[in-house]
Amino acid sequence: MVLEAAGCIENEMCLWSEVGSDEDEIPHTKELGSTELRGVKAFEAYYAAQKLTEDESIWARSFELLQTPMPPCFRVRCPEHVPGSQDEAICRAFEEWQPVKVSWAPHAFRLVSPEAVVGANGFYDEKLALALSDAQSAGHIGRQESASMLPAIALPVSGSDKVLELCAAPGSKTLQMLDNMHRRCIESSSPAESSSHVGAAIMPNGLLHSVDLSQVR
């Protein structure tokens, strides 16, 4: 629950930031269902009032980090067949953007090159955006912020588990758990089982059911 909260605050920060951050701005509201969006100053004041920490300097540093653009981050998807990790091959494909492994998240990488930051127009460089889009469309990577990866890491599902996810939107954690189930199924298979499945997928016998409000997605 705490881990999910970190991602929620991060997402909320993005929403509140849309209105602007001018110090002299008059708080605005914007219709988005029942959610009110105000300026960044109101966001800061609200969370400061929650007294999440007794040390105000910790909150000040947290607020500073919340406003820092995050580098592109992705997970290398689990291959369908027995051959092992595709991490090295994917890193070579993104070499010019300097992929760095996320130490606490298996098969996850951040692109730390100065060329990989979001531009003033709010988008990544066209070449990087195309590379990320193509790799995801091909099923090689899953675009996902590292904070979003925490819940699925904290829940160590196995290939035989039955998982019900009641809020999959847009489903990056769902795919992450699915990858984890496949990987653990492959890792737990015997050498004889692995050799008999060369060229064919080793399928977990568990179940992952996710619920998403969007039928299209």
Side-chain angles (χ1 to χ4, degrees), residues 31-176:
E31 290 298 324
L32 185 66
S34 60
T35 303
E36 286 188 339
L37 304 184
R38 297 185 176 87
V40 173
K41 285 185 65 177
F43 174 93
E44 180 181 16
Y46 174 80
Y47 277 102
Q50 305 311 305
K51 301 296 182 183
L52 300 176
T53 172
E54 294 181 0
D55 186 342
E56 292 186 3
S57 67
I58 294 178
W59 166 242
R61 176 57 176 156
S62 299
F63 185 71
E64 179 185 340
L65 291 174
L66 282 170
Q67 298 180 89
T68 303
M70 294 181 293
C73 189
F74 60 81
R75 292 181 302 99
V76 178
R77 299 289 311 280
C78 179
E80 292 184 0
H81 306 299
V82 173
S85 171
Q86 307 297 308
D87 292 12
E88 290 186 11
I90 296 299
C91 284
R92 285 195 298 271
F94 287 93
E95 188 172 12
E96 67 177 281
W97 295 289
Q98 302 173 24
V100 172
K101 186 173 179 57
V102 179
S103 61
W104 47 265
H107 311 286
F109 296 86
R110 294 190 183 101
L111 303 179
V112 299
S113 166
E115 304 300 320
V117 298
V118 174
N121 61 356
F123 296 95
Y124 293 125
D125 171 75
E126 185 176 352
K127 183 179 179 182
L128 171 59
L130 183 60
L132 289 168
S133 177
D134 286 349
Q136 177 155 296
S137 296
H140 298 314
I141 68 169
R143 294 288 308 281
Q144 187 177 4
E145 298 298 347
S146 55
S148 171
M149 299 178 191
L150 283 167
I153 292 174
L155 182 68
V157 296
S158 70
S160 59
D161 284 331
K162 293 178 175 60
V163 183
L164 173 62
E165 184 179 7
L166 294 174
C167 184
S172 58
K173 297 180 188 68
T174 304
L175 292 177
Q176 183 184 4

Side-chain angles (χ1 to χ4, degrees), residues 15-22 25 38-41:
L15 289 174
W16 287 54
S17 298
E18 287 180 8
V19 182
S21 58
D22 186 34
E25 72 175 353
R38 297 185 176 87
V40 173
K41 285 185 65 177

